[in-house]
Amino acid sequence: MTTTNTVISSNFIQNIINEDLKNNKNNSRVHTRFPPEPNGYLHIGHAKSICLNFGIANEYKGQCNLRFDDTNPSREETEYVESIQEDVKWLGFDWDDRMFYASDYFEQIYDYAVQLVKNGKAYVCDLTAQQMREYRGTLTEPGTESPYRNRSVEENLELFEGMKNGQFADGSRVLRAKIDMSSPNVNLRDPILYRIMRAEHHRTGNTWCIYPMYDYAHPISDALEGITHSICTLEFEDHRPLYDWLINALDMENRPQQIEFARLNVTNMVMSKRKLRLLVEEGLVDGWDDPRMPTISGLRRRGYTPEAIRDFCERIGIAKSNSTVDIAMLEHCIREDLNTKALRAMAVLRPLKVVIENYPEGQVEQLEIENNPEQPETGTRTIPFSREIYIEQEDFMENPIKKFFRLAPGQEVRLKSAYFIKCEQVIKDEQTGEIIELRCTYDPETKSGSGTSTRKVKGTLHWVSATHAVKAEVRLYDYLLLEGEQEVQEGEKDSKDDINPNSMEKLTSCMIEPSLANATPEKRYQFLRNGYFCLDVKDSTPELPVFNRVVGLRDSWSKSQKS
Ligand code: ATP
Ligand code: MG
């Protein structure tokens, strides 16, 4: 009996799979894979591919493998392999015991190449790289056959074995598929299958001095793992005929189907590993997990949640044509998630001291404040109130502009969960004229929740008690790429040119409420009126906790959707 796990289709890939299941293709199995090349850290674009591949496997009760596509030894490292596993797990996906490496198949991939040679479908070619380019033709002109194309099977077998045994110099010879030099698809003009390259591989060491090309190793890896649907990005569409040619030529038992979808581009984000590596290597960011990076590890350190990233990947959908998603949508997703999850807290980023002159010296009151009004079950906590407090510098104006409802000389405001205060006097530094302190009075009848005062004020300020506050550093972020200067075409321009010189602002003398001394990196906080924050795992010390702003409170994406 075959079970049908048909899923209500919401994208074209599900349509294809539903049709395959109806026709009992692959015995109605669904098996996908996520195939990163371990040459960098994963980014939000990879998250889209991860959610798609693992998501489809989950929906159809199938399986998804994690496979490292490690066919190019010159750029790959174990550090990347580890970070990729961590990131996939953190996003909430599980490959069970199906973690593979393309390099696991090097022996078999080699044997398949021998098989192609024996069947007259591959040959050793001695053209130089330059000659090879000339012979390849152009999009409008057919290519020219290599003079080495008609070598005998025996000669090819001997030369290919010689390549493997290290008899020839790097780059002096390649193994090519014998397909069609006049094909309108350049990928079919006798593509290279193997090259000679003396490089140490992160797993196979110096066992090999020939390495298979990605286009050759990939369909074989898919077939060996029993992959049914090999999902990749659009730029591989023209490679599909080669994928299918190889599966046929090798008469593979499993016949995976390649399906292409549009890669994710996001405004103000660099999404190429090469460019991200450049940022890291040139020290323009603090590593792959810099909170400004579009990497999964950067987003995690910044304070993004896996739920928000998965929600984002769900909302952007799967399409057949490339487009760019507004970064405001990603921010909308994290904001929505944190609105329900984040504990509210008071933190003053740019402190201005306020002395409440009529409040008894030495007195401390513990005031009650809710942890999250969106989640009443999270309860309340107490915060200390005393004679000296801090408010935000920007919440005071000596000469207030119109409609400035915050603190100003003679003007009254509410302190969140505390009392009304009124500004009586502004103390300035005699030399610089800088405001150093405000003298205020409070009205004991206005205690929050007491209901004794009928007076209304328009502004409510957050604050912390000066004697109880904890000092902290807060990092505010702007986009790493300047507005509109989103990903430039490969090689067209250096990504450094687009770097926003003001992408991070460090505020080193913030004052935060005492409860935040127990903050953990797993928790998220909404600093009232200042946005959502998360403790930085790397740079926080017991003396100085460091908080990253995940995102501000204002939602530009929701607004743009309504208008
Ligand atoms: P880069 O070009 O930045 O090096 P890549 O595509 O070569 O990226 P891989 O490690 O080969 O990176 O990618 C692993 C998988 O993730 C592939 O299936 C690839 O199609 C997919 N992927 C990579 N970038 C994106 C993206 N921006 N959107 C969706 N999927 C992506
Ligand atoms: Mg790739």
Side-chain angles (χ1 to χ4, degrees), residues 37 214 236 273:
E37 184 181 351
Y214 173 89
F236 287 100
K273 276 189 276 187

Side-chain angles (χ1 to χ4, degrees), residues 34-37 43 45-46 49 231 233 261 263-264 271-273:
F34 172 63
E37 184 181 351
H43 52 58
H46 293 112
S49 176
I231 302 169
T233 39
F261 72 102
R263 63 169 49 232
L264 171 67
M271 212 79 87
S272 124
K273 276 189 276 187

